Amino acid sequence: MKKLVVGLAALALFTTACGAKGNADDSDTIKIGGNFELTGPVSAYGSAESNGAKLAIKEINEAGGVLDKQLKYVELDNKSDTTESASIATKLATQEKVSVIVGPATSGTTKSATPSVTRAKVAMITPSGTDDSLTLDDQGKVQPYVFRTGFQDSFQGVALADFATNHLDSKKAVIIGDSSSDYAIGLTKAFKDSYKGEIVADENFTADDTDFNAILTRIKGKDFDVIYMPAYYEQAGLIIKQAREMGIEQPILGADGFSNQALLDLAGKENVSDVYYSAHFSLNNEEKNIQDFIKAYKEEYKTEPDAFSALAYDSVYLAKQGIEEADSNDPEEVAKALEKITDFQGVTGNFSIDENHNPVKSVFVIELQKGEEAGGTEVAPK
């Protein structure tokens, strides 16, 4: 009896997964899934991306939809948890029968969702999953259903090493990184491989840490020009606060994990000077499409967008272009069309999708003084 029950369950799962292909062609809507970190440790990223995605959906529908159909947005909370992210990806693909999934925000939750979307053959676009390996399998072959709109860790690390040397005149660096995060580990490796100066200290913490005085005490007496800090805003904000209060005044250089208002809230705006981070988006960019997006976002949410909301906004428009170029909302056809997209016009830059499903785009390094954006430097891919 147990064997029969298991067999029937497996058959039901197989049938459901295969059923994802027939998405909504007989309906007046096209479903877009959202798999975001709406609660949990990195909810500031997921919530910002959710806002960006919903604004894009609203605009697209007000402009007439896609293929003469309205978009229906189905969003679920992965709670910043890898297991939950995998489960949600399965649900969106096989039960909700979405044509494409936008999210998750982080590399870990994106990795965990990959087997689910691969089995269901539904494309997933992560706005900000930056780990180099996300779009490749263990053999280095491209994951057919995984795409991203943000740049990779290796590019960020190389760009930041170049910035430290050529713009901050740095010859000696201290690294303070999160040893529990694939994101931080990848960024650290890329920086070390590219930095022309000397690494005088390489300190580590884990995601649960809140007191960094021991690390900061060890580095305070050393001779260095810059602190490189690959970390998410939760720890980065606290480290910046504690470092400045301890009298450590050297420039602090971070990656796109800094790009959230929560960093300033945790650090205190008065402590956030001579802080630089790589970003996908700048509020000070005067291009019309970017200023139009900023205005619409502020009208919708009564606050300014950050890079994460901008990346998710672009991800939905990328999905729209994929559906249009496929002339179908069949998930497999949409995935094939996404592979061929060139000259996408986004608020986080204009780009084409390369053979590994990554965008070819520039990175901005944003300067913060007294908690305010004080300038930016564009670093193009080499």
Side-chain angles (χ1 to χ4, degrees):
M1 189 64 168
K2 286 184 179 179
K3 289 182 179 178
L4 177 60
V5 172
V6 171
L8 289 172
L11 179 61
L13 180 61
F14 175 78
T15 303
T16 306
C18 291
K21 184 175 181 179
N23 287 4
D25 279 338
D26 57 348
S27 169
D28 59 356
T29 62
I30 296 174
K31 285 187 177 182
I32 303 289
N35 180 359
F36 288 122
E37 296 82 340
L38 303 179
T39 58
V42 292
S43 59
Y45 298 142
S47 297
E49 294 193 2
S50 170
N51 286 345
K54 287 185 285 192
L55 177 60
I57 296 283
K58 178 183 177 182
E59 288 180 355
I60 292 166
N61 283 338
E62 288 178 349
V66 186
L67 304 184
D68 297 323
K69 298 182 181 183
Q70 292 285 285
L71 295 180
K72 181 178 180 181
Y73 184 54
V74 183
E75 181 179 71
L76 298 173
D77 178 13
N78 66 39
K79 304 176 184 177
S80 304
D81 180 80
T82 54
T83 302
E84 191 72 16
S85 178
S87 175
I88 282 173
T90 298
K91 183 174 181 180
L92 288 171
T94 64
Q95 296 181 32
E96 295 293 344
K97 299 185 183 300
V98 300
S99 294
V100 61
I101 295 171
V102 177
T106 66
S107 295
T109 46
T110 300
K111 280 186 178 180
S112 66
T114 296
S116 299
V117 299
T118 302
R119 284 193 298 270
K121 299 182 179 180
V122 175
M124 171 177 66
I125 305 171
T126 173
S128 53
T130 53
D131 187 305
D132 281 29
S133 66
L134 288 185
T135 64
L136 304 175
D137 65 18
D138 292 340
Q139 285 72 48
K141 295 181 179 179
V142 67
Q143 297 277 12
Y145 299 98
V146 182
F147 300 82
R148 66 174 129 211
T149 50
F151 38 67
Q152 300 157 263
D153 286 339
S154 59
F155 180 40
Q156 288 193 83
V158 171
L160 291 169
D162 177 83
F163 185 85
T165 300
N166 296 318
H167 295 273
L168 299 180
D169 298 321
S170 164
K171 294 178 176 61
K172 296 181 179 181
V174 165
I175 297 175
I176 304 176
D178 182 353
S179 61
S180 64
S181 162
D182 289 340
Y183 169 77
I185 291 169
L187 282 164
T188 297
K189 182 180 185 305
F191 184 88
K192 283 181 174 180
D193 289 346
S194 301
Y195 184 58
K196 303 302 182 184
E198 178 187 356
I199 307 295
V200 300
D202 187 357
E203 299 284 348
N204 291 288
F205 61 88
T206 60
D208 296 329
D209 292 344
T210 57
D211 184 349
F212 304 94
N213 281 288
I215 290 174
L216 295 171
T217 299
R218 285 196 294 272
I219 71 167
K220 186 177 181 182
K222 293 183 180 293
D223 177 21
F224 64 94
D225 306 310
V226 65
I227 297 173
Y228 176 62
M229 193 189 304
Y232 291 132
Y233 65 85
E234 282 187 302
Q235 287 74 37
L238 294 175
I239 295 171
I240 292 169
K241 176 181 174 65
Q242 293 169 27
R244 295 306 191 226
E245 289 177 347
M246 193 179 285
I248 297 172
E249 298 180 351
Q250 285 91 334
I252 294 172
L253 186 60
D256 61 338
F258 280 31
S259 182
N260 193 276
Q261 176 64 37
L263 178 91
L264 304 180
D265 296 339
L266 289 165
K269 293 181 71 173
E270 69 278 7
N271 294 315
V272 187
S273 290
D274 292 325
V275 173
Y276 305 82
Y277 66 93
S278 53
H280 312 256
F281 169 80
S282 171
L283 290 168
N284 293 330
N285 192 313
E286 295 299 325
E287 292 185 24
K288 185 179 184 303
N289 66 324
I290 295 174
Q291 289 304 312
D292 287 346
F293 162 68
I294 293 169
K295 180 182 178 182
Y297 192 94
K298 288 171 72 173
E299 288 177 352
E300 188 74 15
Y301 300 111
K302 314 307 177 190
T303 189
E304 291 181 331
D306 62 14
F308 294 90
S309 46
L311 284 166
Y313 179 88
D314 275 356
S315 296
V316 171
Y317 273 99
L318 185 70
K320 170 183 179 288
Q321 187 166 329
I323 293 167
E324 288 174 336
E325 294 192 8
D327 195 27
S328 169
N329 60 338
D330 177 274
E332 290 188 62
E333 295 304 315
V334 173
K336 291 176 184 177
L338 287 172
E339 290 184 326
K340 301 174 184 177
I341 285 181
T342 60
D343 197 30
F344 173 79
Q345 307 290 311
V347 299
T348 62
N350 302 336
F351 60 84
S352 300
I353 297 296
D354 71 12
E355 67 275 11
N356 290 326
H357 294 185
N358 299 310
V360 181
K361 65 196 302 188
S362 297
V363 58
F364 290 92
V365 179
I366 303 297
E367 175 185 354
L368 297 175
Q369 300 292 347
K370 296 182 180 179
E372 300 289 340
E373 187 173 323
T377 302
E378 184 176 355
V379 182
K382 296 179 179 179

